[in-house]
Amino acid sequence: MWPAREVELKLEVPAHSLYRLARSPLLLAARKMSSKPATLVSVYFDTDKLKLRNRGLSLRVRRIGRRHIQTIKRESGESAAVFTRDEWEHQIGGRQPDLDVAQDAALGPVFGKNVRRSLKPIFETRVRRTVYPIQSGDSEIELTIDKGKVGAGRQSSPICEVELELKRGESAELFKLARMLAEEVPVQLAVKSKAERGYALIAGELPEAVALTPDCSRQAAFQAIARACLRQLVANQPATLGGDPEGLHQMRVALRRLRAAVSLFADMLLDPQTEEMKTQFKWITQELGPARELDVFIKRVVRPVTDGKPNGPGVAVLAKDLQRRREEAFARACAAVESTRFRGLVLDVAGWIEAGDWTRNTDDFARLLREQPIVPAAGDELRRRWKKILKAGAQLDELDPQRRHKMRIQAKKLRYASEFFGGAFPGKKAMRRGKDFVAGLEKLQDALGDLNDIAVHEGLSERIVDAQDATGKQREGRAKRAFAAGRLSGREEARIASVLKDAQLAYHAFAKAKPFWS
């Protein structure tokens, strides 16, 4: 039996905005055909070792009045959209799963006797649901508002979301409708299903991964990679807004990975819409950057001095000023992440990944690029970037800071490419080589990053000394601040020789690594 295909887009909406959402023109027009609000109780089942989650499956039994509906969902493969999943749904006779009704060859290997015996309830969702039918162009979309919670034992998490499920038509209409809703209420892209929220309560977050296979097309590979990057970006938004510097750092990493992915598939993404996406990536990267730079500067350079005795003239004043600057920069970053522009950006990126202009380019050459198998294309890209690193590293001791920085960027992109494409080269030998290859790149990247930080910190020190207040006058105690900044710069400059030696050692070790794509 072939599974049904569920295509949906999930949006988070603040609870205080539900009243305004229910009275939006879009929903008022569909109110006459909307369903009456209903309470849905869904119990999710798995084994103690979470074997279903580990296989990308979820199993629930939902009670709707006196009926019980069993649903098995599986994250789809390369041809699917971000929010597309295979779904097996049956009405069953009671609260316990009835796996005999789900006769499918794809499920047989998973639901063996041991798994069937070990299944037990692990968490539950309770939501109040209202459904509105929406006509968008030639497409039919079911808009669902869910408010409630997911609970596992004493732990719980609120649910307040809008689901847009495509019943007929083009998936691009989901993103168009989401954009229209975003103009009326502050909705934003949700990257977790209800099942993922429940699993997060009992087992923590799953690491982001890119699951490529050798038979992936280039289009499917890019979409899988870009989805993982977008999920990483959105998933770290709450931590950033909560004041966690690591959350902000991970958002910047997600953006770097996404921009690297665009670079890896540049020949396939030659269109004005992609250029606009790149402009938006650059904007949010610039908004997040200063806070991260100051955070690293304070932790790695300033604190080792302020924690020592004696501190010296101006160090305390300088440290206080830097902390103020860091707080201002973090506030700027949070304002950007909370902005309407960022929420719109996330929705636009999701739509661009799934149904952007690049996916519909009818030019024969563009279509061939999209349909090309990922393995030869990935091998060519990895080989080309690997040779660049080997060539630059052979002259590492002669490179100036600017060219070392360029080499660091090349190493970072090669590392991301290696992580992205690893699944396209299966086998124990390739996996072992890939692990060694990435590990060597990480050490080289860290050493080159340390050298780059020294250059960045020198520039920060100079700007601090030259800073002016709002009246244009030099800040008080400039001489003391200059002395303190000079002391910090001196400590950094003294590290250059040893860090450069570390980079050379890391390069020579990496140069011995064997390519995993051969």
Side-chain angles (χ1 to χ4, degrees), residues 10-14 160-162 186-192 197:
K10 290 181 179 290
L11 305 171
E12 293 182 358
V13 56
C160 192
E161 65 184 21
V162 173
V187 297
Q188 61 186 23
L189 184 71
V191 296
K192 293 180 183 178
R197 292 174 186 236

Side-chain angles (χ1 to χ4, degrees), residues 34-55:
S34 67
S35 66
K36 292 183 179 180
T39 298
L40 307 181
V41 180
S42 302
V43 178
Y44 288 77
F45 293 79
D46 208 332
T47 68
D48 285 330
K49 295 183 178 180
L50 306 181
K51 289 185 177 181
L52 298 189
R53 185 191 76 160
N54 296 336
R55 297 290 291 269

Side-chain angles (χ1 to χ4, degrees), residues 234-516:
V234 176
N236 282 283
Q237 183 178 352
T240 298
L241 296 177
D244 184 356
E246 182 60 22
L248 185 144
H249 173 56
Q250 290 301 320
M251 290 188 75
R252 293 183 75 236
V253 170
L255 286 164
R256 288 200 301 264
R257 294 175 73 225
L258 187 51
R259 295 172 76 177
V262 173
S263 174
L264 290 168
F265 292 86
D267 60 345
M268 198 177 69
L269 303 169
L270 299 175
D271 61 273
Q273 186 185 33
T274 297
E275 291 303 311
E276 174 59 24
M277 292 296 101
K278 289 162 68 174
T279 299
Q280 295 299 322
F281 298 156
K282 185 176 181 181
W283 162 72
I284 188 61
T285 298
Q286 290 174 337
E287 293 300 302
L288 302 180
R292 176 62 180 173
E293 287 182 357
L294 284 165
D295 198 55
V296 172
F297 185 54
I298 291 171
K299 288 180 179 179
R300 296 185 182 177
V301 181
V302 178
R303 284 184 183 169
V305 175
T306 57
D307 290 345
K309 299 294 181 180
N311 287 336
V315 171
V317 175
L318 183 62
K320 184 177 180 180
D321 179 65
L322 283 169
Q323 187 60 37
R324 177 186 59 79
R325 288 167 181 262
R326 186 260 180 201
E327 291 171 358
E328 290 174 352
F330 208 96
R332 170 187 168 184
C334 288
V337 171
E338 284 189 301
S339 69
T340 301
R341 180 176 179 179
F342 181 73
R343 289 197 300 271
L345 164 63
V346 171
L347 289 173
D348 288 344
V349 173
W352 167 72
I353 293 170
E354 300 307 319
D357 293 343
W358 69 275
T359 67
R360 301 192 299 272
N361 189 335
T362 57
D363 178 79
D364 288 343
F365 183 67
R367 188 170 61 252
L368 286 172
L369 287 175
R370 295 198 301 271
E371 294 173 354
Q372 183 184 10
I374 188 57
V375 171
D380 290 344
E381 193 68 32
L382 289 164
R383 189 177 299 105
R384 182 176 68 83
R385 294 176 181 271
W386 176 52
K387 288 182 178 179
K388 280 188 175 182
I389 297 293
L390 294 180
K391 182 178 179 180
Q395 307 173 36
L396 183 56
D397 57 338
E398 301 174 8
L399 299 181
D400 57 29
Q402 186 174 1
R403 288 191 293 170
R404 286 200 302 260
H405 173 64
K406 185 177 180 180
M407 181 182 171
R408 180 182 71 91
I409 297 299
Q410 291 172 340
K412 186 181 299 182
K413 287 184 176 180
L414 179 58
R415 174 188 165 190
Y416 291 152
S418 300
E419 293 171 341
F420 292 154
F421 296 142
F425 302 94
K428 292 183 179 180
K429 182 178 179 181
M431 290 179 63
R432 184 180 67 253
R433 284 187 174 184
K435 184 177 180 181
D436 293 342
F437 193 85
V438 171
L441 268 175
E442 287 179 346
K443 292 180 180 179
L444 177 59
Q445 183 185 330
D446 287 345
L448 293 172
D450 209 358
L451 284 168
N452 185 66
D453 285 344
I454 292 173
V456 170
H457 296 160
E458 183 178 357
L460 277 173
S461 298
E462 292 175 356
R463 291 198 297 274
I464 292 165
V465 174
D466 294 336
Q468 295 181 335
D469 62 16
T471 64
K473 297 179 181 178
Q474 294 289 340
R475 296 180 183 271
E476 294 181 3
R478 187 181 189 283
K480 290 183 178 180
R481 297 160 64 84
F483 178 84
R487 183 180 173 189
L488 297 180
S489 295
R491 285 175 59 92
E492 286 292 89
E493 290 175 4
R495 296 175 54 228
I496 291 178
S498 63
V499 175
L500 181 58
K501 184 177 181 180
D502 290 342
Q504 291 170 329
L505 291 173
Y507 166 75
H508 289 301
F510 169 70
K512 297 177 183 178
K514 295 180 180 179
F516 60 91

Side-chain angles (χ1 to χ4, degrees), residues 183-205:
E183 293 176 1
E184 300 181 17
V185 292
V187 297
Q188 61 186 23
L189 184 71
V191 296
K192 293 180 183 178
S193 65
K194 293 182 180 67
E196 288 174 313
R197 292 174 186 236
Y199 278 118
L201 288 178
I202 62 175
E205 302 287 352

